[in-house]
Amino acid sequence: MLEKTTRMNYLYDFYYSLLTPKQQSYMSLYYLDDYSLGEIAEEYDVSRQAVYDNIKRTEAMLEEYEEKLLLFQKFQERSNLLRHVKELLKEENPSKQAMLEMVTELEKLD
């Protein structure tokens, strides 16, 4: 569950501007502020089922956006490459070839 929450938080960060204000609000309350479905339903004077359905549809939309745009995947790849670059730079004699290969991989992500 924590892994899903973390993923949804990242997807929300990348794609929130593509969501309606209601979707933004429900997702923010549910994933960022840790509100329960009941608390969100009470806040918006709707049924718990309506909140659940909206969140599930929004999650599916976020996954579709990621499938097409790959912003989160590229972010993860970029983060991994940068971590490897930092590790290489800590070595006494870092390999220039390895550094160039990583820079090339970073360039491919854009």
Side-chain angles (χ1 to χ4, degrees), residues 46-76:
V46 296
S47 71
R48 187 181 175 283
Q49 186 65 44
V51 174
Y52 175 82
D53 290 344
N54 185 294
I55 288 173
K56 288 301 167 194
R57 275 193 311 275
T58 304
E59 288 172 349
M61 288 175 65
L62 291 173
E63 291 292 353
E64 285 179 32
Y65 294 146
E66 175 60 14
E67 190 176 306
K68 293 174 183 166
L69 301 173
L70 303 173
L71 296 179
F72 181 49
Q73 179 182 324
K74 288 179 181 179
F75 167 77
Q76 288 179 307

Side-chain angles (χ1 to χ4, degrees), residues 8 10 13 32 39 52 73 81 89 92 97 102 105:
M8 280 299 133
Y10 273 112
D13 286 345
L32 301 176
E39 290 170 322
Y52 175 82
Q73 179 182 324
L81 285 167
L89 289 173
E92 191 155 326
Q97 183 61 35
M102 287 189 207
E105 290 300 313

Side-chain angles (χ1 to χ4, degrees), residues 89-104:
L89 289 173
K90 289 179 183 176
E91 294 177 5
E92 191 155 326
N93 293 313
S95 163
K96 286 184 181 180
Q97 183 61 35
M99 292 291 288
L100 285 172
E101 288 171 8
M102 287 189 207
V103 168
T104 301

